[in-house]
Amino acid sequence: MANGPKNLHKIEKPTGRMRDDRIVLPDIILPPNVPSEPVAIADMAELFGITHRTLHFYEEKGLIGAGRMGLMRVYGQSDVARMAVINTCREVGMPISVIQDLFERLSAAQSRTEANALLEDALMTRQRELTASLSTIHRQLQQVNTLLANEATATSGRTAPTRQTVDLSDIEHRCLHMMAEGHTTSRIARNFQMKIDEVTEIENGLIQKIGAQNRFQAIAKAVLLGMIAS
């Protein structure tokens, strides 16, 4: 009977293919006010501004692993540290497969210095990818501007169309500018100190007001309308 209560509170950690708590992780700043172990799934989601579904997805990919305290899903401090690395990579748009490869390389790291070098290498690779994408976007934007200029010249004899105006609130303007700067919905939510669902609603309203189909189209149209600088 003496061992009964202890067993009820024991956290059983799964042993997935990438769930090695001894792994050396790079230096990543953890979110403030990290609760003591065990960390409930709701607290984990709030710490990183993500949903429960996203955490389940990372578990399925072997990046983190939840334990159990009775019926409650919980995480250890090692998973919080892992999640900090994952979140850093995801916020710069790093694909899950690349993050999985990074963790596999980290599992062989012998020191924090080596782990930092591996993360730096992954970030530099992503930097090159983003630079190439940015170059493509600028080229396409220039082509759009040229086409619009040609259209304006061809119709110069006609009555100039009225430029579309979009009435946005202050928070919608701020959200639009952060979207244009490449911030994710979760990052914007943390910046505004709002819930992800609330920011998602603001973004959807923006997209509808601007007359776009998605985030990227909304940003492109906002540039063409002069709402944000190109």
Side-chain angles (χ1 to χ4, degrees), residues 40 57 60 65 73-74 81 111 119 172-173 191 196 213 230:
F57 175 72
E60 291 172 0
R73 298 174 68 83
V74 294
S111 66
L119 176 61
E172 286 175 329
H173 274 293
N191 184 272
I196 294 178
Q213 299 296 320
S230 59

Side-chain angles (χ1 to χ4, degrees), residues 155-169:
T155 59
S156 58
R158 306 174 194 169
T159 302
T162 303
R163 189 170 189 177
Q164 180 184 356
T165 58
V166 181
D167 185 23
L168 299 181
S169 66

Side-chain angles (χ1 to χ4, degrees), residues 6-170:
K6 292 183 179 180
N7 291 335
L8 286 175
H9 294 282
K10 183 179 179 181
I11 303 173
E12 298 179 1
K13 300 292 285 184
T15 54
R17 64 183 179 89
M18 298 175 67
R19 289 291 298 111
D20 183 0
D21 290 342
R22 297 168 299 175
I23 188 172
V24 179
L25 296 175
D27 290 313
I28 295 291
I29 298 176
L30 297 178
N33 304 319
V34 176
S36 58
E37 192 176 273
V39 181
I41 187 169
D43 293 332
M44 187 76 143
E46 185 176 354
L47 272 176
F48 294 99
I50 57 178
T51 64
H52 292 200
R53 183 176 180 180
T54 300
L55 287 171
H56 290 315
F57 175 72
Y58 291 152
E59 289 175 32
E60 291 172 0
K61 296 301 179 180
L63 295 173
I64 58 175
R68 291 277 183 183
M69 179 176 284
L71 298 177
M72 183 173 64
R73 298 174 68 83
V74 294
Y75 299 90
Q77 293 298 326
S78 61
D79 289 303
V80 174
R82 282 170 167 269
M83 194 59 233
V85 177
I86 296 166
N87 212 46
T88 296
C89 294
R90 289 299 288 162
E91 286 191 339
V92 298
M94 201 177 290
I96 288 296
S97 59
V98 174
I99 299 175
Q100 288 176 310
D101 290 341
L102 172 62
F103 270 90
E104 287 179 357
R105 293 196 298 273
L106 287 172
S107 66
Q110 299 298 312
S111 66
R112 184 63 57 85
T113 300
E114 186 178 351
N116 287 338
L118 288 170
L119 176 61
E120 182 179 358
D121 180 66
L123 290 174
M124 289 179 67
T125 298
R126 183 58 183 158
Q127 183 184 53
R128 290 192 292 270
E129 294 171 350
L130 290 173
T131 300
S133 298
L134 188 60
S135 176
T136 300
I137 291 172
H138 278 302
R139 185 177 67 253
Q140 292 174 342
L141 182 59
Q142 187 175 21
Q143 290 172 339
V144 169
N145 290 337
T146 300
L147 290 171
L148 289 174
N150 292 340
E151 178 67 17
T153 301
T155 59
S156 58
R158 306 174 194 169
T159 302
T162 303
R163 189 170 189 177
Q164 180 184 356
T165 58
V166 181
D167 185 23
L168 299 181
S169 66
D170 178 63

